[in-house]
Amino acid sequence: MDRFGILFRGVMGGQPTGPQPTGAETIQKLCDRVASSTLLEDRRDAVRALKSLSKKYRMEVGTMAIDHLVRILQTDRSDTEILGYALDTLYNIVCNDEEEEPDESEEENQQKQEDDMGAQFTDKFVQEPENITLLLTLLEEFDFHVRWPGVKLLTALLKNQCAQVQGIILVSPMGVSRLMDLLADSREVIRNDGLLLLQQLTKGNAAIQKIVAFENAFERLLDIITEEGSSDGGIVVEDCLLLLLNLLKNNSSNQNFFKEGSYIQKMKPWFEVGDDNSGWSAQKVTNLHLMLQLVRVMVSPVNSPGATASCQKAMFQCGLLQQLCTILMATGVPADILTETINTVSEVIRGSEVNQDYFASVNAPSNPPRPAIVVLLMSMVNERQPFVLRCAVLYCFQCFLYKNHKGQGEIVATLLPSTIDANSVSAGQLLCGGLFSADSLSNWCAAVALAHALQDNLTQKEQLLRVQLATSLGKPPVSLLQQCTNILSQGSRVQTKVGLLMLLCTWISNCPIAVMHFLHNQDNVPFLTGQISENLGEDERLVQGLCALLLGICIYYNDNSLENYTKEKLKQLIEKRIGKENFVEKLGFITKHELYSRAAQKPQPAFSTPEHMLFDHEFTKLVKELEGMITKAVLKSSEEEKKEEEVKKTLEQHDSIVTQYKELIREQDSQINELKEQMTLLTSQNEKMQSTITQQLSQIQQHKDQYNILKLKLGKDNQLTGNQTDAAHVNGLQPEELSQLREQLEDLQRQNQLLQTQLTEKDSLITSLKTEGVPSAEGSTSEVTVLQREVELLKAQLQSQTAEITKLQSEKQELLRGSETTAAPGENTEKIAELESRLSAQTAETLKLKGEVKTLLESRETMEKDLASATSTAAIAQAEQSKLQQEVQESKKEQDDLLMLLADQDQKILSLKQRLKDLGETIEDEDDLDSKDQFDDDDEEEEEEECDE
């Protein structure tokens, strides 16, 4: 046996051969062996020995060996056995759990030392973030002896230094994902310890909670809960539920993800409790308690209203609320589960109209059936019921009435004389019974419950004034309002007084009629002033503050209908008997009370003992709202009030003036917008007209240029007339041939006139068809448009041909003049003057065309409106549209015939031109011919007669 074996045997209790080494010396030698041994087996044996010593010599091993153990994790990754020993050793030195309980006298000091030691070694380990990253890498090792101690070590590190380790894991790539893989491990011990690890990891870190949720944690955890038997499962179900609570509590993102993933529906089977509810195990009670807490997390009043409402809706739709109400009415359910179920149902229905209506319809399985609300109120006013259960019922009743005017009306209606049923117990009767019972807690709960039936509901405050109570035989009934003040004046206990004063303050606030009823009793105001002015004990100071609040409400909401108790007289009474400063000081006793701030934190009444039940959450809101207003109302003098009223009237007048100006400005804005639209329309029309005028001016300029050219050519023609006559004779042109040419041209002219007349008729026919047709049909409208374009093209071609014919006719007339006697010398001058007059006439015609263009634009707008109105009649006029299409096609065919005739005419004109060329005549260019188209038909006939002569 070598030297190391002898040393190890001495450490483990073998027979020593020499002096015994101390624990520190042995650990130091083992650390040296770990650091210096080259053989893996030697290092493994040394680490195994350190593991065996790590519990007894925790301080020494942690101080001397922690660095060596980390180095083993880094260098000996291939050997799972040495890795397991190293991880176990590290776990032993950082874990604060004790296997053996110390003596009671030493327990506190020993535990503190253990905690300090674990935190010290944890700090040393996590000083290097690479150590946590290395640990996360080792968790990927599937070997049980590595993975399991790694999970335990990381859990212990998180317990000791949670925030620091969370930060390292959060920035580590795939760190959270590696830990989520533990839930899929087939070995239950690793999976279960993985749940504990994730519990520690997700505590108070919203970022890690989101990552875990998006790593499909909800699906996996719900599957594990189902596999383990849901509420009947063991500790694993509890661990899963605790992890779910960590992920969802105060994390709106995860709550929304849970709802959107339809996981609320998967919670319903958890609450399927059978008829036999006897013998519940402690684990089942714990599991179901956590399940109910999980439901409450989703609908907690601290969540955003929108998120809470959507979860409440989902719970009703999937039947979860119905399942909870079944547990609520079941028998044999343990008291703590029943209490938590009532609290859960309370928050599921709070502020949800659909859920509140369903809860109102739930009946207890009794004979005869009674509403669940009535059964619960019976428990609330029963002093033999557990205190926490009575608080839960009160919370449930408050949540049922929260923003539920319908439910408030139903509760108040059970107190009205016309609806009282002597054969059944109603909610109103139970509340009145609790209000006037000998149990102060029942008084307080009933008063608060009744106050919630009046919360923010002026109608029910006025209805409750009708309630009359029969106090004893032979005496007339008194109102509920008066009976409450009678009980106050009888010297009840503080809890009863506080409850009744909260009810009265809630009742008469913002209700002048109730204030008038309260002041109508001559004893009420003296009682309040007497309570406020007295110097009472510490317990009675809260009552004084509430009396001051009640009197302040009587001033603030006073309509001055009672002459003896107007606002001014009540303030004078306070000033004389109490003093304004003293009154304000007593009013401040309410908010300075230690239980006031506790009640203001959350809606659920959570009190450690019945004596602490003094304030209601909704009432704290009322005090916060009224305290400042009442203080100002009491301290203000009558002159200040008058000034304020004058200022208020002035402001109202100013507001009315501002309103009038606003209306005027709105009208002006609308008018400006209309004028802008009109201006835009006119601007566009102006632009179109300007473009049209520009085109007309260019056409006029062209006509002027043509006139100047024509004027020059006429002068030249007069000089060459004799020469042209001689040339005609030389070429052998006889008068008979000229006469024949004249007849052909006249024939062509008549045909042209006939064609033009037919074309005009067709054009008018198409226009009438377009006007009378069905513009809503897109096909027919497009065909009419195409047809119109073709007609315009045909007219342009016809005008061109007419111009050419006119030019030929003028040439013929010139030839005839040359063949006959020579014209008079002043004749050309007269022609020029005549042409100038025609040009002036054409300029006037152009101006006339501008007016016609404007008229056509207006006609087009009218046509567009008519087309838009005709759109709605498209279906009725479908037959007319078909007929229109047929007529258009026929018109097309006729126009095609006209085009054929025009083509023949063009051919004849060309042949005539060719004959003229053959006769030796000079044919002018088309531009010159266009300049001569200004002569009308009358002038042509006159010239022809002259030629004949």
Side-chain angles (χ1 to χ4, degrees), residues 66 237 240-241 274 282-283 309 340 365 373 516 522 529 590 673 684 728 782 817 819 824 865-866:
I66 189 169
V237 173
C240 290
L241 293 170
Q283 187 62 56
E340 189 64 19
I373 297 174
M516 186 267 293
Q522 302 294 328
T529 55
I590 301 174
N673 291 330
S684 62
S782 61
R817 290 195 196 98
S819 62
K865 292 179 180 178
D866 293 337

PDB file of all heavy atoms in Angstrom, residues 66 237 240-241 274 282-283 309 340 365 373 516 522 529 590 673 684 728 782 817 819 824 865-866:
ATOM      1  N   ILE A  66     -11.826  24.735  -2.724  1.00  0.00           N
ATOM      2  CA  ILE A  66     -12.819  25.174  -3.716  1.00  0.00           C
ATOM      3  C   ILE A  66     -12.185  25.480  -5.067  1.00  0.00           C
ATOM      4  O   ILE A  66     -12.723  25.139  -6.122  1.00  0.00           O
ATOM      5  CB  ILE A  66     -13.615  26.375  -3.162  1.00  0.00           C
ATOM      6  CG1 ILE A  66     -14.797  26.691  -4.085  1.00  0.00           C
ATOM      7  CG2 ILE A  66     -12.728  27.606  -2.972  1.00  0.00           C
ATOM      8  CD1 ILE A  66     -15.776  27.670  -3.466  1.00  0.00           C
ATOM      9  N   VAL A 237     -46.853  17.972  -7.721  1.00  0.00           N
ATOM     10  CA  VAL A 237     -47.917  18.895  -8.161  1.00  0.00           C
ATOM     11  C   VAL A 237     -47.775  20.226  -7.435  1.00  0.00           C
ATOM     12  O   VAL A 237     -47.918  21.303  -8.037  1.00  0.00           O
ATOM     13  CB  VAL A 237     -49.301  18.271  -7.911  1.00  0.00           C
ATOM     14  CG1 VAL A 237     -50.400  19.276  -8.201  1.00  0.00           C
ATOM     15  CG2 VAL A 237     -49.482  17.019  -8.759  1.00  0.00           C
ATOM     16  N   CYS A 240     -44.977  22.189  -9.032  1.00  0.00           N
ATOM     17  CA  CYS A 240     -45.394  22.749 -10.323  1.00  0.00           C
ATOM     18  C   CYS A 240     -46.271  23.979 -10.126  1.00  0.00           C
ATOM     19  O   CYS A 240     -46.125  24.997 -10.836  1.00  0.00           O
ATOM     20  CB  CYS A 240     -46.145  21.698 -11.136  1.00  0.00           C
ATOM     21  SG  CYS A 240     -45.128  20.349 -11.755  1.00  0.00           S
ATOM     22  N   LEU A 241     -47.185  23.912  -9.170  1.00  0.00           N
ATOM     23  CA  LEU A 241     -48.079  25.042  -8.924  1.00  0.00           C
ATOM     24  C   LEU A 241     -47.308  26.241  -8.376  1.00  0.00           C
ATOM     25  O   LEU A 241     -47.594  27.391  -8.741  1.00  0.00           O
ATOM     26  CB  LEU A 241     -49.185  24.626  -7.957  1.00  0.00           C
ATOM     27  CG  LEU A 241     -50.179  23.587  -8.495  1.00  0.00           C
ATOM     28  CD1 LEU A 241     -51.073  23.076  -7.379  1.00  0.00           C
ATOM     29  CD2 LEU A 241     -51.026  24.177  -9.620  1.00  0.00           C
ATOM     30  N   GLY A 274     -65.724  15.459  -6.391  1.00  0.00           N
ATOM     31  CA  GLY A 274     -66.852  14.538  -6.340  1.00  0.00           C
ATOM     32  C   GLY A 274     -67.788  14.830  -5.184  1.00  0.00           C
ATOM     33  O   GLY A 274     -67.609  15.761  -4.393  1.00  0.00           O
ATOM     34  N   ALA A 282     -53.850  16.135   3.568  1.00  0.00           N
ATOM     35  CA  ALA A 282     -53.235  17.455   3.729  1.00  0.00           C
ATOM     36  C   ALA A 282     -52.623  17.939   2.412  1.00  0.00           C
ATOM     37  O   ALA A 282     -52.666  19.132   2.082  1.00  0.00           O
ATOM     38  CB  ALA A 282     -52.168  17.405   4.833  1.00  0.00           C
ATOM     39  N   GLN A 283     -52.049  16.988   1.643  1.00  0.00           N
ATOM     40  CA  GLN A 283     -51.453  17.372   0.360  1.00  0.00           C
ATOM     41  C   GLN A 283     -52.510  17.847  -0.636  1.00  0.00           C
ATOM     42  O   GLN A 283     -52.298  18.818  -1.380  1.00  0.00           O
ATOM     43  CB  GLN A 283     -50.682  16.184  -0.227  1.00  0.00           C
ATOM     44  CG  GLN A 283     -49.884  16.516  -1.483  1.00  0.00           C
ATOM     45  CD  GLN A 283     -48.806  17.546  -1.235  1.00  0.00           C
ATOM     46  OE1 GLN A 283     -47.944  17.377  -0.388  1.00  0.00           O
ATOM     47  NE2 GLN A 283     -48.870  18.658  -1.970  1.00  0.00           N
ATOM     48  N   ALA A 309     -60.707  41.573 -17.171  1.00  0.00           N
ATOM     49  CA  ALA A 309     -62.010  41.325 -17.805  1.00  0.00           C
ATOM     50  C   ALA A 309     -61.929  40.184 -18.816  1.00  0.00           C
ATOM     51  O   ALA A 309     -62.841  39.345 -18.895  1.00  0.00           O
ATOM     52  CB  ALA A 309     -62.505  42.603 -18.483  1.00  0.00           C
ATOM     53  N   GLU A 340     -61.127  29.940   0.696  1.00  0.00           N
ATOM     54  CA  GLU A 340     -60.351  30.371  -0.470  1.00  0.00           C
ATOM     55  C   GLU A 340     -61.188  30.305  -1.745  1.00  0.00           C
ATOM     56  O   GLU A 340     -61.021  31.138  -2.649  1.00  0.00           O
ATOM     57  CB  GLU A 340     -59.094  29.510  -0.604  1.00  0.00           C
ATOM     58  CG  GLU A 340     -58.098  30.005  -1.656  1.00  0.00           C
ATOM     59  CD  GLU A 340     -57.527  31.372  -1.319  1.00  0.00           C
ATOM     60  OE1 GLU A 340     -57.593  31.790  -0.139  1.00  0.00           O
ATOM     61  OE2 GLU A 340     -57.028  32.037  -2.238  1.00  0.00           O
ATOM     62  N   PRO A 365     -78.087  23.678  -3.040  1.00  0.00           N
ATOM     63  CA  PRO A 365     -78.876  22.432  -3.137  1.00  0.00           C
ATOM     64  C   PRO A 365     -79.641  22.154  -1.849  1.00  0.00           C
ATOM     65  O   PRO A 365     -79.391  21.161  -1.149  1.00  0.00           O
ATOM     66  CB  PRO A 365     -77.799  21.381  -3.395  1.00  0.00           C
ATOM     67  CG  PRO A 365     -76.564  21.936  -2.782  1.00  0.00           C
ATOM     68  CD  PRO A 365     -76.642  23.427  -2.932  1.00  0.00           C
ATOM     69  N   ILE A 373     -76.377  33.709  -2.672  1.00  0.00           N
ATOM     70  CA  ILE A 373     -76.103  34.950  -1.947  1.00  0.00           C
ATOM     71  C   ILE A 373     -76.732  34.906  -0.565  1.00  0.00           C
ATOM     72  O   ILE A 373     -76.113  35.305   0.444  1.00  0.00           O
ATOM     73  CB  ILE A 373     -76.634  36.155  -2.757  1.00  0.00           C
ATOM     74  CG1 ILE A 373     -75.900  36.260  -4.085  1.00  0.00           C
ATOM     75  CG2 ILE A 373     -76.496  37.447  -1.971  1.00  0.00           C
ATOM     76  CD1 ILE A 373     -76.460  37.320  -5.013  1.00  0.00           C
ATOM     77  N   MET A 516     -81.478  65.934   3.673  1.00  0.00           N
ATOM     78  CA  MET A 516     -82.662  66.596   4.225  1.00  0.00           C
ATOM     79  C   MET A 516     -83.397  65.673   5.203  1.00  0.00           C
ATOM     80  O   MET A 516     -83.824  66.105   6.285  1.00  0.00           O
ATOM     81  CB  MET A 516     -83.576  67.031   3.082  1.00  0.00           C
ATOM     82  CG  MET A 516     -84.779  67.849   3.501  1.00  0.00           C
ATOM     83  SD  MET A 516     -86.256  66.846   3.781  1.00  0.00           S
ATOM     84  CE  MET A 516     -86.586  66.290   2.123  1.00  0.00           C
ATOM     85  N   GLN A 522     -84.608  66.341  14.711  1.00  0.00           N
ATOM     86  CA  GLN A 522     -84.014  67.413  15.504  1.00  0.00           C
ATOM     87  C   GLN A 522     -82.878  66.931  16.405  1.00  0.00           C
ATOM     88  O   GLN A 522     -82.076  67.741  16.882  1.00  0.00           O
ATOM     89  CB  GLN A 522     -85.097  68.074  16.368  1.00  0.00           C
ATOM     90  CG  GLN A 522     -86.258  68.649  15.575  1.00  0.00           C
ATOM     91  CD  GLN A 522     -85.839  69.821  14.697  1.00  0.00           C
ATOM     92  OE1 GLN A 522     -84.936  70.570  15.049  1.00  0.00           O
ATOM     93  NE2 GLN A 522     -86.487  69.970  13.553  1.00  0.00           N
ATOM     94  N   THR A 529     -72.689  67.122  17.082  1.00  0.00           N
ATOM     95  CA  THR A 529     -71.860  68.190  17.668  1.00  0.00           C
ATOM     96  C   THR A 529     -71.382  67.805  19.067  1.00  0.00           C
ATOM     97  O   THR A 529     -70.251  68.123  19.452  1.00  0.00           O
ATOM     98  CB  THR A 529     -72.652  69.499  17.711  1.00  0.00           C
ATOM     99  OG1 THR A 529     -73.898  69.287  18.416  1.00  0.00           O
ATOM    100  CG2 THR A 529     -72.948  69.997  16.300  1.00  0.00           C
ATOM    101  N   ILE A 590     -59.442  60.450  11.004  1.00  0.00           N
ATOM    102  CA  ILE A 590     -59.763  59.260  10.196  1.00  0.00           C
ATOM    103  C   ILE A 590     -58.534  58.783   9.437  1.00  0.00           C
ATOM    104  O   ILE A 590     -58.121  57.620   9.539  1.00  0.00           O
ATOM    105  CB  ILE A 590     -60.910  59.582   9.215  1.00  0.00           C
ATOM    106  CG1 ILE A 590     -62.154  60.042   9.972  1.00  0.00           C
ATOM    107  CG2 ILE A 590     -61.238  58.360   8.367  1.00  0.00           C
ATOM    108  CD1 ILE A 590     -63.276  60.522   9.067  1.00  0.00           C
ATOM    109  N   ASN A 673     -64.320  75.973 -45.565  1.00  0.00           N
ATOM    110  CA  ASN A 673     -64.041  74.729 -46.297  1.00  0.00           C
ATOM    111  C   ASN A 673     -64.868  74.648 -47.572  1.00  0.00           C
ATOM    112  O   ASN A 673     -64.362  74.246 -48.631  1.00  0.00           O
ATOM    113  CB  ASN A 673     -64.350  73.530 -45.397  1.00  0.00           C
ATOM    114  CG  ASN A 673     -63.376  73.404 -44.251  1.00  0.00           C
ATOM    115  OD1 ASN A 673     -62.215  73.797 -44.377  1.00  0.00           O
ATOM    116  ND2 ASN A 673     -63.816  72.856 -43.132  1.00  0.00           N
ATOM    117  N   SER A 684     -59.868  75.167 -61.258  1.00  0.00           N
ATOM    118  CA  SER A 684     -59.716  74.151 -62.297  1.00  0.00           C
ATOM    119  C   SER A 684     -60.472  74.535 -63.560  1.00  0.00           C
ATOM    120  O   SER A 684     -59.972  74.389 -64.687  1.00  0.00           O
ATOM    121  CB  SER A 684     -60.191  72.795 -61.779  1.00  0.00           C
ATOM    122  OG  SER A 684     -61.570  72.860 -61.452  1.00  0.00           O
ATOM    123  N   ALA A 728     -54.280  79.045-121.190  1.00  0.00           N
ATOM    124  CA  ALA A 728     -55.413  78.126-121.361  1.00  0.00           C
ATOM    125  C   ALA A 728     -55.687  77.890-122.836  1.00  0.00           C
ATOM    126  O   ALA A 728     -55.956  76.768-123.257  1.00  0.00           O
ATOM    127  CB  ALA A 728     -56.634  78.702-120.663  1.00  0.00           C
ATOM    128  N   SER A 782     -68.745  53.437 -72.797  1.00  0.00           N
ATOM    129  CA  SER A 782     -67.477  53.415 -73.532  1.00  0.00           C
ATOM    130  C   SER A 782     -67.720  53.327 -75.026  1.00  0.00           C
ATOM    131  O   SER A 782     -67.022  53.964 -75.831  1.00  0.00           O
ATOM    132  CB  SER A 782     -66.635  52.235 -73.047  1.00  0.00           C
ATOM    133  OG  SER A 782     -67.313  51.027 -73.290  1.00  0.00           O
ATOM    134  N   ARG A 817     -62.883  83.433-115.297  1.00  0.00           N
ATOM    135  CA  ARG A 817     -62.665  84.868-115.464  1.00  0.00           C
ATOM    136  C   ARG A 817     -61.616  85.153-116.532  1.00  0.00           C
ATOM    137  O   ARG A 817     -61.710  86.092-117.298  1.00  0.00           O
ATOM    138  CB  ARG A 817     -62.228  85.490-114.137  1.00  0.00           C
ATOM    139  CG  ARG A 817     -63.310  85.535-113.084  1.00  0.00           C
ATOM    140  CD  ARG A 817     -62.900  86.480-111.972  1.00  0.00           C
ATOM    141  NE  ARG A 817     -63.735  86.234-110.804  1.00  0.00           N
ATOM    142  CZ  ARG A 817     -63.378  85.477-109.765  1.00  0.00           C
ATOM    143  NH1 ARG A 817     -62.189  84.909-109.763  1.00  0.00           N
ATOM    144  NH2 ARG A 817     -64.194  85.300-108.759  1.00  0.00           N
ATOM    145  N   SER A 819     -60.967  83.274-119.151  1.00  0.00           N
ATOM    146  CA  SER A 819     -61.473  82.961-120.484  1.00  0.00           C
ATOM    147  C   SER A 819     -62.409  84.019-120.993  1.00  0.00           C
ATOM    148  O   SER A 819     -62.643  84.136-122.187  1.00  0.00           O
ATOM    149  CB  SER A 819     -62.178  81.601-120.478  1.00  0.00           C
ATOM    150  OG  SER A 819     -63.284  81.658-119.597  1.00  0.00           O
ATOM    151  N   ALA A 824     -62.558  94.072-113.727  1.00  0.00           N
ATOM    152  CA  ALA A 824     -62.297  95.492-113.485  1.00  0.00           C
ATOM    153  C   ALA A 824     -61.108  95.666-112.583  1.00  0.00           C
ATOM    154  O   ALA A 824     -60.810  94.798-111.751  1.00  0.00           O
ATOM    155  CB  ALA A 824     -63.542  96.142-112.880  1.00  0.00           C
ATOM    156  N   LYS A 865     -73.762  64.701 -63.547  1.00  0.00           N
ATOM    157  CA  LYS A 865     -74.690  64.464 -62.434  1.00  0.00           C
ATOM    158  C   LYS A 865     -75.808  63.522 -62.866  1.00  0.00           C
ATOM    159  O   LYS A 865     -76.227  62.633 -62.124  1.00  0.00           O
ATOM    160  CB  LYS A 865     -75.271  65.785 -61.951  1.00  0.00           C
ATOM    161  CG  LYS A 865     -74.234  66.699 -61.282  1.00  0.00           C
ATOM    162  CD  LYS A 865     -74.873  68.008 -60.839  1.00  0.00           C
ATOM    163  CE  LYS A 865     -73.847  68.919 -60.168  1.00  0.00           C
ATOM    164  NZ  LYS A 865     -74.428  70.197 -59.776  1.00  0.00           N
ATOM    165  N   ASP A 866     -76.301  63.776 -64.108  1.00  0.00           N
ATOM    166  CA  ASP A 866     -77.377  62.900 -64.599  1.00  0.00           C
ATOM    167  C   ASP A 866     -76.884  61.472 -64.741  1.00  0.00           C
ATOM    168  O   ASP A 866     -77.594  60.510 -64.426  1.00  0.00           O
ATOM    169  CB  ASP A 866     -77.889  63.410 -65.947  1.00  0.00           C
ATOM    170  CG  ASP A 866     -78.584  64.758 -65.807  1.00  0.00           C
ATOM    171  OD1 ASP A 866     -79.050  65.074 -64.687  1.00  0.00           O
ATOM    172  OD2 ASP A 866     -78.664  65.484 -66.806  1.00  0.00           O
TER     173      ASP A 866
END
